[in-house]
Amino acid sequence: MCATRLAPAPLPTRRGCPLDPPDDFRRLRQQDPVSRLSFPDGKTGWLLTRHRDVRAVLADDRFSADRRRASLPLRRIPIRLAEAEQRAGVLLTMDPPEHTRYRRILTRYFTVRRMRALAPRVERIVADHLDAMERGGPPVDLVPAFALPIPSLVICELLGVPYADRAGFQRWSRTLLGLDVDEAEALAAHQALCGYMHDLVVAKRARPDDALLSQLIARGTEAPEDALSDDELAGIGRLLLVAGHETTANMLALGTYTLLSYPGELAALRAHPEGVQRAVEELLRYLTIVQFGTLRVAKEDVEIAGRRIRAGETVVASLAAANRDPEQFDGPDRLDVTREPSQHVAFGHGIHQCLGQQLARVEMEVAFPALFGRFPDLRLAVPANQVPFRDDMLIYGVHALPLTWG
C-alpha cells in the first residue's frame, strides 16, 4: 500500500503522556515514515520515524554528521563550532577520516572490560549517596541527592576533572542544552566551558595523574601518530564531561519515576535483580532521552524507502520514534523489564554510536537495584502531575523528583 504524502510540517514535540514520545510519530510512521520536515530557517528536509530507516541512515556514509551543514529542527541558539580550535576533538559532529582517528584513539579506553572494572567504585559512590539520603531522611529531591552527583563524580574521576568544580560545568551544561537560552548566555557558557577545559589540559601536561586526560597525553608521547593537541584534548574533554553526566543523570531520575509509575515492573525487577541488565536496556528503549533525534545531511542524492533525499538536505532520525516501532518491537508502547535484548537505538547507531554507553550501563545497573533495595517503600512525595519534566531541554528527564519513604 502506498504511503500518504504529507505536506512539510515542523518536528513534533508535544507529548500526550510524559513517558511517551509525541503521538504524531505514530501517525507519521504509519502514513509517511520518510516525511517532509519544515525547519525554522525556512528550509525543508526529512524526518525518519521507522526503526529500519533510522538505522540505515545512521550507518550510511553518504550522510554527514557535520552540523555546520545542517538546518536545526528547533528554534534555539546554534553553537556552531566553526573555528578550528573549538571544533577540535568534538568527534560527535565529525565525518571520516577525522572522526575515525579520534574514535580509534579513544575506543580502547571505553571497552566493556574497562567499564565493568569500574563497577566496585560505582557501587561505593552509590552507597555513599544512599547513606546520605538515609541520614537526611525524607523527603528528598532525587536529582541533586542521587541522580546528578553519581555520574558527575564518576566522569570526573575517569577524566581527571576536579569534582569540586562541578557547580560550574553543570551550570554550563544546563545552559548549552536548554531550548530557551538567549544568545549571550549560550555563548558565555560555551566560552567558559572551553576555557575551563583548555586550562585543565595545560595543567595535566604539567602535572599528570592517572586519569584519562593524562593517559591520552602519555599515549601521544609513546605513539606520535596518536598525539593530540591541547585544543583536541579540550574538545574531547568537553564532550565526554557534558555527555557523561547529563545523559546518565537524566536516565537515573526519569527511570526511577518510570519504575515508580509501573509498580508491576518494579516488583518484577525486585523479585529478579539478576535481570537488571534487561531492565536497563528496556528503560533506555522506552524513554529515549535524546528526544529530538539525530541530525544528518545528505552528501549526495540518496533514496530512502522510495523517497529521494537531495544532496544538502537535512535529515532528522527520530530515535524516540524508532524505539517505539511495532515492526521491530512487540508491544512497543508497553514497558517490559523482562523484554529480550533488542536493537534499540537509544545510544544511536553506526560509527557515531555513543562512546560511553558501557559506562552508562554500569552506572544504571548498579544504581537502580541499590536505590530500590535500600528504600523498599520509595514513592513520590508529590502528585505525579507536579513533577517538572524537561520539555525545555535537548536531553529529556525531570528537573526535580521529590521522593519519600517510611
Side-chain angles (χ1 to χ4, degrees), residues 34-293:
V34 183
S35 55
R36 273 308 221 175
L37 187 65
S38 62
F39 294 97
D41 64 4
K43 295 181 181 179
T44 58
W46 301 90
L47 173 64
L48 309 181
T49 49
R50 281 195 308 209
H51 184 271
R52 66 175 183 264
D53 298 331
V54 166
R55 280 174 58 94
V57 165
L58 294 183
D60 193 330
D61 62 9
R62 294 174 297 175
F63 289 89
S64 171
D66 188 345
R67 293 180 188 171
R68 291 175 300 175
R69 311 179 186 182
S71 294
L72 300 181
L74 301 171
R75 192 177 297 279
R76 67 185 297 267
I77 302 301
I79 302 297
R80 298 186 186 275
L81 306 182
E83 298 179 16
E85 65 271 18
Q86 293 184 332
R87 288 194 72 245
V90 186
L91 65 163
L92 186 66
T93 59
M94 289 179 176
D95 297 328
E98 208 176 11
H99 172 271
T100 308
R101 173 176 175 259
Y102 288 126
R103 191 84 183 199
R104 177 184 57 78
I105 293 171
L106 290 171
T107 296
R108 75 187 72 203
Y109 300 101
F110 289 91
T111 62
V112 174
R113 180 181 61 82
R114 280 178 175 261
M115 296 301 99
R116 292 289 171 191
L118 296 176
R121 176 58 182 149
V122 175
E123 289 169 359
R124 290 194 295 274
I125 292 171
V126 167
D128 288 345
H129 285 83
L130 290 174
D131 290 344
M133 285 173 58
E134 195 165 21
R135 286 194 303 269
V140 66
D141 181 352
L142 193 76
V143 174
F146 186 81
L148 181 57
I150 289 170
S152 293
L153 183 52
V154 171
I155 197 63
C156 280
E157 291 186 356
L158 180 67
L159 286 175
V161 174
Y163 185 59
D165 297 340
R166 63 192 180 277
F169 69 71
Q170 287 172 357
R171 182 177 66 255
W172 300 326
S173 296
R174 284 194 303 271
T175 300
L176 292 172
L177 294 173
L179 299 179
D180 301 320
V181 177
D182 66 50
E183 184 173 7
E185 189 179 4
L187 290 174
H190 175 66
Q191 291 167 356
L193 185 56
C194 286
Y196 172 81
M197 194 56 67
H198 192 276
D199 290 346
L200 183 62
V201 168
V202 172
K204 296 294 182 185
R205 286 200 188 274
R207 295 179 299 280
D209 53 28
D210 59 356
L212 179 59
L213 288 174
S214 294
Q215 291 175 24
L216 291 171
I217 292 169
R219 174 70 186 174
T221 302
E222 299 162 4
E225 68 275 13
D226 289 347
L228 297 165
S229 69
D230 287 356
D231 290 332
E232 290 175 312
L233 288 164
I236 290 168
R238 292 198 312 272
L239 177 62
L240 295 176
L241 181 62
V242 173
H245 80 271
E246 275 284 349
T247 52
T248 306
N250 283 290
M251 273 303 304
L252 288 175
L254 188 61
T256 298
Y257 174 91
T258 303
L259 289 169
L260 291 173
S261 301
Y262 289 89
E265 298 306 304
L266 178 54
L269 176 58
R270 280 177 164 148
H272 300 284
E274 71 281 2
V276 66
Q277 291 185 3
R278 287 188 180 184
V280 165
E281 295 305 312
E282 175 68 347
L283 286 168
L284 286 164
R285 180 199 71 83
Y286 187 76
L287 297 173
T288 314
I289 60 173
V290 181
Q291 61 174 333
F292 301 120

Side-chain angles (χ1 to χ4, degrees), residues 318-340:
S318 175
L319 307 181
N323 279 340
R324 295 293 187 95
D325 187 347
E327 289 186 4
Q328 179 68 25
F329 306 100
D330 181 33
D333 295 321
R334 183 184 72 249
L335 180 71
D336 179 2
V337 297
T338 65
R339 189 185 296 271
E340 292 288 336

